[in-house]
Amino acid sequence: TYIKPEMAETLFKQASRTATRELWVVEKAKHNQAIQVAGPEYHDKVVNFFDKQLAAAGLESLAVKAN
């Protein structure tokens, strides 16, 4: 079984309102397939999220550029 988008949305809504959070549902990707379905967009979104959070915390980016 896998987490359906509806379940992810419920969990997202219940997550701490003070925590930085983003929900991204990759169309046609079942559980743990987002990286294969979304390709380079997956890497970009994850790196951008962490870069934004690190900057807010006053830290440098730890990102490694994908080829």
Side-chain angles (χ1 to χ4, degrees), residues 1-29:
T1 175
Y2 63 93
I3 298 174
K4 297 177 181 174
E6 298 81 21
M7 295 168 70
E9 290 167 2
T10 299
L11 291 170
F12 180 77
K13 289 175 186 173
Q14 293 177 357
S16 171
R17 302 275 187 243
T18 59
T20 301
R21 59 200 175 117
E22 292 181 21
L23 177 63
W24 177 43
V25 177
V26 178
E27 295 294 322
K28 299 182 183 177

Side-chain angles (χ1 to χ4, degrees), residues 22-57:
E22 292 181 21
L23 177 63
W24 177 43
V25 177
V26 178
E27 295 294 322
K28 299 182 183 177
K30 292 186 179 181
H31 184 67
N32 203 27
Q33 292 181 334
I35 195 167
Q36 289 87 6
V37 174
E41 184 182 10
Y42 180 91
H43 177 269
D44 293 343
K45 281 200 172 272
V46 172
V47 169
N48 288 333
F49 177 84
F50 279 102
D51 278 351
K52 185 167 62 173
Q53 300 315 306
L54 290 169

